[in-house]
Amino acid sequence: MNEDQPVLELPDFDPKATRRSVRRGIVRTASLVLAVLVAVALAATLGSAAVQKRGDREERMKDVLGTAFKIYNPAYTIGVRDCCETTPLSMSFTVSARELRAAGGFEGRAGSVYTITQDFFGRVGHLPLGNYANTRLSTSLANFGTTLDQKEQVRKVLARLPDGLNALAVVEFDKPLTLGELGAFPAACTARLVYERRPGATPITWDTTTWDRALPGEKMGLSCDKESAQDLEHFRRWVGMLRDHDDANLRRFDLSLARLRKASADGLVYGYVDDLVTIKELRRLIEDPRVRTVHLADVTFDLDDPR
């Protein structure tokens, strides 16, 4: 080294300046990492939403799962709300559910809101209500085809009730009726038709409100037998849009493609649910030889009230 060259002197070590520099470096690095993570999360969320909502998946989710949820819960009046909320791993929609009661009684009670969720791969998660609801109407439907609620027992119950009370009841036919035979039945205009007999479990039921694409206004001016025929047509149209890959989800709703396709193809009515029938009318119906029995679910005073 040339002795004439200046010697580079190192500055004195400043601990405070060093700490400030380290802190600035950490902050810059953390900010950069956070920005990258936010960008990745945003891209994942938007990308996942785009994938899950592609094509008509939102509308089909409501069509298939929303309708299946109504069949899964015949004891409730259910409204499917706007779809759909998405996360990177799921898509969901909400439904409102109010227990069906005898008209003029307790049907005005406020309902509850529930969420139906399917994962990124289209599989349905935990479902509310259904087999766990344990309502009087779901129990009455499960009694279809069993030895419970035999005519003589039901006659005694009906005899103790005032004629003018409205009731919620399931009328079970001895043999399933065709639509033509149903049109000749004295109570053909019904709330909900039952399309199978499934002792100990919830059968397939359907009415105008089951499928949101079946608008109630379409029935205006129709006779009772034509109303029932239109309900069956809507049921068949809905079943016709189902695909084999829907079967896994349908089984979460205690349904299956095989049962749905058979019920829609047969078009046989095993009974019906009526929430606007009087006790006097039920006494008359139970004597009809076409009626196997009547399952009484509710009347316009609360059967559970101990008073």
Side-chain angles (χ1 to χ4, degrees):
M1 183 176 183
N2 192 331
E3 294 181 358
D4 295 332
Q5 290 179 343
V7 178
L8 181 63
E9 296 183 359
L10 295 175
D12 293 335
F13 177 71
D14 186 344
K16 292 183 178 180
T18 300
R19 284 195 294 268
R20 285 195 297 268
S21 297
V22 171
R23 282 197 295 267
R24 284 196 298 269
I26 292 173
V27 169
R28 281 197 299 267
T29 302
S31 299
L32 179 60
V33 171
L34 182 60
V36 170
L37 291 176
V38 170
V40 170
L42 185 61
T45 300
L46 295 178
S48 175
V51 170
Q52 293 185 78
K53 292 183 177 182
R54 68 186 183 276
D56 64 345
R57 291 193 73 190
E58 286 182 279
E59 191 63 32
R60 196 170 191 280
M61 182 181 182
K62 288 173 59 177
D63 267 346
V64 176
L65 303 188
T67 303
F69 188 72
K70 292 181 181 181
I71 300 174
Y72 184 50
N73 289 286
Y76 289 84
T77 299
I78 293 173
V80 178
R81 300 190 172 189
D82 291 337
C83 185
C84 299
E85 292 292 328
T86 60
T87 72
L89 298 177
S90 67
M91 184 163 64
S92 63
F93 64 92
T94 56
V95 297
S96 60
R98 178 171 54 84
E99 186 179 350
L100 185 63
R101 304 293 297 268
F106 295 84
E107 77 279 10
R109 289 176 175 173
S112 301
V113 176
Y114 301 94
T115 300
I116 309 299
T117 303
Q118 69 177 25
D119 64 24
F120 185 82
F121 302 101
R123 292 291 179 256
V124 179
H126 171 74
L127 291 171
L129 302 178
N131 296 330
Y132 307 100
N134 197 30
T135 66
R136 286 187 175 277
L137 180 53
S138 60
T139 300
S140 295
L141 286 167
N143 287 344
F144 244 58
T146 68
T147 57
L148 300 173
D149 298 335
Q150 294 187 13
K151 272 192 173 183
E152 191 55 41
Q153 297 172 318
V154 178
R155 286 191 186 102
K156 292 178 181 178
V157 174
L158 294 176
R160 297 198 297 266
L161 298 172
D163 290 356
L165 287 182
N166 286 334
L168 171 65
V170 183
V171 177
E172 181 181 356
F173 296 131
D174 186 48
K175 297 179 180 179
L177 304 183
T178 65
L179 286 184
E181 292 168 333
L182 183 68
F185 193 75
C189 288
T190 60
R192 184 167 298 171
L193 299 181
V194 183
Y195 284 110
E196 65 176 353
R197 182 177 282 123
R198 195 173 173 228
T202 304
I204 294 169
T205 60
W206 189 274
D207 70 3
T208 303
T209 66
T210 305
W211 191 26
D212 287 344
R213 294 195 192 185
L215 301 177
E218 295 180 13
K219 282 191 170 186
M220 292 181 63
L222 295 180
S223 60
C224 289
D225 57 336
K226 290 183 178 179
E227 284 188 12
S228 299
Q230 191 175 82
D231 279 345
L232 177 58
E233 176 59 26
H234 289 150
F235 177 41
R236 284 172 169 165
R237 281 170 52 196
W238 179 73
V239 173
M241 68 170 286
L242 299 175
R243 301 292 177 260
D244 289 346
H245 64 76
D246 292 318
D247 193 54
N249 277 342
L250 291 171
R251 291 181 182 278
R252 298 299 304 271
F253 295 90
D254 195 26
L255 295 168
S256 73
L257 270 176
R259 283 175 48 219
L260 288 166
R261 287 170 176 170
K262 183 181 187 307
S264 66
D266 292 347
L268 296 176
V269 180
Y270 289 77
Y272 64 88
V273 179
D274 196 342
D275 65 342
L276 189 58
V277 61
T278 64
I279 295 298
K280 182 178 180 180
E281 178 68 8
L282 288 178
R283 290 199 196 104
R284 185 178 67 82
L285 286 173
I286 202 169
E287 302 305 328
D288 192 305
R290 291 167 292 185
V291 174
R292 180 176 182 268
T293 191
V294 170
H295 306 275
L296 188 62
D298 187 36
V299 294
T300 46
F301 63 82
D302 196 347
L303 293 175
D304 290 319
D305 193 337
R307 292 173 295 178

